[in-house]
Amino acid sequence: MYNAKILIDRLAADHTLAADEYLYILSNTDAQTLAYINNVAAEVCASVFHKSIYIRGLIEIGNVCRNDCLYCGIRHSNSHVERYRLNRDDILAACGEGYALGLRTFVLQGGEEGGKASDDFITGVVREVKELYPDAAVTLSLGEKDTDTYRRFREAGADRYLLRHETFNAAHYSSLHPASMSRDNRLRCLADLKRLGFQTGTGIMVGSPGQTAAHIVEDILFIGRLRPEMIGIGPFIPHRDTPFGTCRAGSLEQTLLLLSIFRLMFPHALIPSTTALATLSPGGREAGILAGANVVMPNLSPASVRRKYNLYNGKACTGSESVEGLKSLEESFRAIGYKIDFGRGDYAG
Ligand code: 5AD
């Protein structure tokens, strides 16, 4: 029989466990064990990042999407969404505002658009942002593209790319996504991004409909093999206009447990305390940091579009979730003994 604390100590020392051991931790963590792993992970994180949190300006560049992911509020078939696209000037203005506030990473996130025109637009914008702000990093989060498009994004100067795999299990993947999408193409994208030299982020939603502990073990083993520089872990939160609108949200505890497991596997990884976590529970953002996260991504989108980028109900996008709230964000960090690091915050493993 296993003992969770002994397994946690071994994970901290070796950065890996066997599949059955991860399964044991996932299935047998009580409040006390959770507090223990959160503390160990926060200590490991502090030993690498010295209680400094990187901040990234998140610009939601558009909510037009060709996909129909069953969990997502901006899915193609949701006719209640007011669709928008930011233009070049909007995006550069948002970067300028963020730069003046001291931000040195801009994350351009949006619905997945197909077609050359959209890809060319992104390539041009990335080039301009990098010309205007050569000391800032550009992260893209725009979904699945062909290899050549990713290469063009990289050549234009994009430094990082976020693409959660959502779930490694192919059957579970199919139950969350339309038939036009496949787990294998997702993995192809991630392999491309790594090979092209992007600092690559992947991750999962915790508690998505149909997810089991065995699925999560598959996710952990996959992430262990991929060795992403960034790992995004947030709870699933239902959106009323989706097929999963009446499903239960993922749990705070399981999200915090997974944040800590990934921190212990990858002491140098860039792991955000996500907006979904902050939305799920008051104090969620701080709890994520105290479980081993070292990044937050305040919203830098123009105020007029924020409510239109609604991936799930209740999404936080004001206060400390926004760049206007940097002061209150700083204050909330100080209250738990952390501070903002205004650097680019590249992966340095
Ligand atoms: N709940 C939580 N996270 C969601 N995402 C999309 N829809 C939801 C939801 N309903 C996450 C996905 C995606 C990221 C941009 O947002 O994991 O990769």
Side-chain angles (χ1 to χ4, degrees):
M1 206 51 199
Y2 298 120
N3 172 302
K5 278 194 177 172
I6 291 174
L7 292 178
I8 291 163
D9 289 342
R10 185 141 56 75
L11 180 59
D14 298 349
H15 313 299
T16 184
L17 292 174
D20 285 353
E21 297 172 331
Y22 289 122
L23 187 60
Y24 182 85
I25 293 181
L26 289 171
S27 321
N28 294 279
T29 292
D30 56 14
Q32 211 188 348
T33 313
L34 179 62
Y36 182 72
I37 191 171
N38 290 165
N39 280 330
V40 176
E43 274 173 32
V44 166
C45 192
S47 73
V48 177
F49 297 103
H50 311 291
K51 298 204 174 184
S52 286
I53 305 295
Y54 293 125
I55 48 172
R56 326 296 200 188
L58 178 65
I59 307 172
E60 295 152 339
I61 66 166
N63 64 1
V64 178
C65 192
R66 63 178 166 183
N67 289 331
D68 223 12
C69 305
L70 279 76
Y71 47 83
C72 186
I74 63 166
R75 66 200 302 265
H76 182 78
S77 65
N78 183 3
S79 57
H80 300 291
V81 178
E82 206 184 309
R83 304 286 169 176
Y84 75 93
R85 288 187 184 100
L86 295 188
N87 62 31
R88 163 201 176 273
D89 293 352
D90 297 330
I91 297 171
L92 294 182
C95 292
E97 195 182 310
Y99 194 89
L101 288 167
L103 303 191
R104 293 297 178 268
T105 291
F106 305 118
V107 181
L108 276 44
Q109 184 174 90
E112 190 175 301
E113 293 215 49
K116 187 164 179 336
S118 154
D119 295 340
D120 288 350
F121 170 74
I122 298 300
T123 309
V125 169
V126 169
R127 199 169 280 125
E128 284 198 89
V129 174
K130 294 295 288 191
E131 271 165 22
L132 283 167
Y133 308 108
D135 58 334
V138 170
T139 304
L140 299 179
S141 177
L142 301 168
E144 299 181 6
K145 305 284 174 183
D146 60 31
T147 310
D148 233 52
T149 302
Y150 284 143
R151 182 177 297 115
R152 281 199 295 278
F153 289 168
R154 183 86 183 108
E155 285 168 358
D159 303 277
R160 311 183 189 135
Y161 204 102
L162 303 175
L163 183 71
R164 291 185 181 171
H165 67 286
E166 313 296 358
T167 179
F168 183 78
N169 182 275
H172 186 227
Y173 189 95
S174 295
S175 74
L176 301 180
H177 296 98
S180 56
M181 296 177 74
S182 72
R183 193 279 311 254
D184 288 349
N185 194 48
R186 200 70 158 192
L187 300 187
R188 189 272 304 161
C189 290
L190 286 165
D192 280 354
L193 292 165
K194 268 275 188 185
R195 192 162 32 77
L196 289 164
F198 285 97
Q199 292 170 47
T200 303
T202 197
I204 64 169
M205 279 178 298
V206 178
S208 60
Q211 184 184 59
T212 65
H215 291 150
I216 298 177
V217 173
E218 291 186 59
D219 295 317
I220 293 172
L221 297 179
F222 166 66
I223 289 176
R225 293 190 296 275
L226 181 71
R227 309 195 67 76
E229 285 76 19
M230 303 172 284
I231 304 170
I233 303 296
F236 161 74
I237 299 176
H239 185 295
R240 70 177 77 80
D241 299 325
T242 66
F244 293 155
T246 58
C247 294
R248 279 165 55 110
S251 87
L252 173 70
E253 290 77 14
Q254 203 173 29
T255 306
L256 297 176
L257 174 61
L258 282 162
L259 285 177
S260 294
I261 289 175
F262 287 117
R263 171 58 64 205
L264 296 180
M265 291 172 73
F266 297 107
H268 295 268
L270 301 163
I271 302 181
S273 186
T274 56
T275 303
L277 187 56
T279 301
L280 184 71
S281 141
R285 187 186 41 253
E286 292 84 351
I289 290 167
L290 295 172
N294 73 315
V295 174
V296 299
M297 300 166 63
N299 198 312
L300 185 53
S301 310
S304 59
V305 303
R306 279 185 201 171
R307 61 179 181 79
K308 300 179 191 164
Y309 197 83
N310 231 347
L311 305 185
Y312 42 82
N313 287 145
K315 196 187 114 199
C317 62
T318 58
S320 300
E321 294 311 314
S322 69
V323 284
E324 310 85 76
L326 269 196
K327 277 272 165 297
S328 75
L329 186 67
E330 241 172 337
E331 189 45 53
S332 75
F333 289 169
R334 191 165 30 239
I336 56 171
Y338 286 73
K339 59 184 180 302
I340 292 179
D341 183 324
F342 282 91
R344 265 177 58 126
D346 287 293
Y347 180 80

